[in-house]
Structure formats: C-alpha cells, structure tokens
Amino acid sequence: MSKHFKNKKLALGEQIQKMRSCYPHFVFKLIKRQDVVWIGQIRPSPLSIEYRVRIEHFLGTGPKVTILSPSLRIPDGLKRLPHIYSIDRLCLYTPGKGEWHDGLYIASTIVPWTQLWLLYYEGWLITRKWHGDGTEPTINNSNEPKKKDTFN
C-alpha cells in the first residue's frame, strides 16, 4: 500500500483538545510525554445510571477503557461478562482489523463506543443476551489495565 494512503496519526495534543471540546467534564492527566488518562462520567441513555470511566491512551497502542464505578456485575447463573477483556476493561473494537487507529479521535470513536457498550450491557443485564456486534475477545490478563484511580 502506498504511504499516501496510510492514516495520519493524530498528535496527543489534538486528542486532548478534541476531548476538551466534546467532553469538558472529563479530567485528564498526562502520564508521560505520550501517555494520557481521562476520567469522566458517561450516561449511555437518559434512563441509565452514570458510569465513571477511565480512558488510557498510550501513543502507538489502542485506548483502554475501564469502568471505575459502579462495578460491572454478572447476573446469577452466568460466569462472565460478554465483550470484556478483564472484569472492567471493555472490548470496544477488534484490534488489528482497522476499526480504530491513531488517526481517529478518541472523542469521536472510543467515547461513543463506550456509551454504546454500556447500553448493550444494561440490556444484557435484563435479557442475558448481548445485542451488539463484534467478536468475543479472549481474556488476556497480561494486558490488564491499572486499577488505581489517580483522580478524586
């Protein structure tokens, strides 16, 4: 493929600015020069509760979304949550399939996908059926996100 057709990678500053303009209530913290963490509240629908989420973005890797509160729960009789990498890290896209890349804004993709995932989760709690698309991921605890919430 010609390099002219490759996706332009967005600078971290561009990601931060877009998140600020679209989601001003999200608090962000630069971890290193190329790493940022946002924490904020998401309500997937007017009838939903608010979820406190953490979005980690390390340049060169896909964003990781963690639900900080309330804890995601598993209904009685079921063993695990669907479309999740660990107890609280969401599976929003299939890595390597081009659904997300560094040329896309987190504010335009990851945050809305998180809202949609939470909406599917709420439906799943009621029906025990996942109504979203996608491939069920394999669990890999080596990619488990940090659990520490450094924002209060």
Side-chain angles (χ1 to χ4, degrees):
M1 177 183 275
S2 168
K3 67 180 179 180
H4 299 289
F5 293 106
K6 288 189 178 181
N7 299 314
K8 175 194 171 280
K9 291 183 180 183
L10 294 170
L12 194 56
E14 292 174 291
Q15 292 285 8
I16 291 169
Q17 184 56 41
K18 183 75 167 182
M19 280 292 287
R20 272 187 184 155
S21 68
C22 294
Y23 302 98
H25 62 283
F26 270 68
V27 176
F28 81 94
K29 181 177 182 180
L30 286 172
I31 304 302
K32 293 180 182 174
R33 253 182 214 217
Q34 298 182 357
D35 304 338
V36 66
V37 173
W38 288 277
I39 294 185
Q41 301 290 116
I42 290 179
R43 183 184 306 267
S45 79
L47 300 176
S48 298
I49 62 171
E50 279 193 340
Y51 296 86
R52 185 171 169 86
V53 301
R54 174 186 176 111
I55 301 170
E56 298 178 0
H57 180 52
F58 306 127
L59 288 183
T61 67
K64 293 178 179 154
V65 178
T66 306
I67 303 302
L68 299 175
S69 66
S71 295
L72 298 176
R73 61 187 185 86
I74 302 170
D76 291 339
L78 298 178
K79 294 184 180 184
R80 66 181 296 267
L81 293 163
H83 294 275
I84 201 139
Y85 289 111
S86 65
I87 192 60
D88 55 4
R89 186 172 148 227
L90 310 185
C91 174
L92 301 176
Y93 59 91
T94 305
K97 292 216 174 177
E99 297 166 337
W100 192 90
H101 54 79
D102 285 338
L104 296 172
Y105 285 105
I106 290 169
S108 302
T109 55
I110 299 300
V111 176
W113 293 348
T114 301
Q115 290 172 310
L116 190 57
W117 189 99
L118 288 166
L119 197 59
Y120 290 143
Y121 164 74
E122 290 176 348
W124 174 79
L125 287 175
I126 297 165
T127 66
R128 295 184 179 205
K129 194 171 184 184
W130 191 262
H131 294 282
D133 291 339
T135 305
E136 186 73 23
T138 56
I139 295 177
N140 181 354
N141 291 332
S142 65
N143 290 331
E144 189 116 353
K146 300 176 193 93
K147 299 239 184 210
K148 187 176 181 182
D149 180 357
T150 56
F151 300 92
N152 292 320

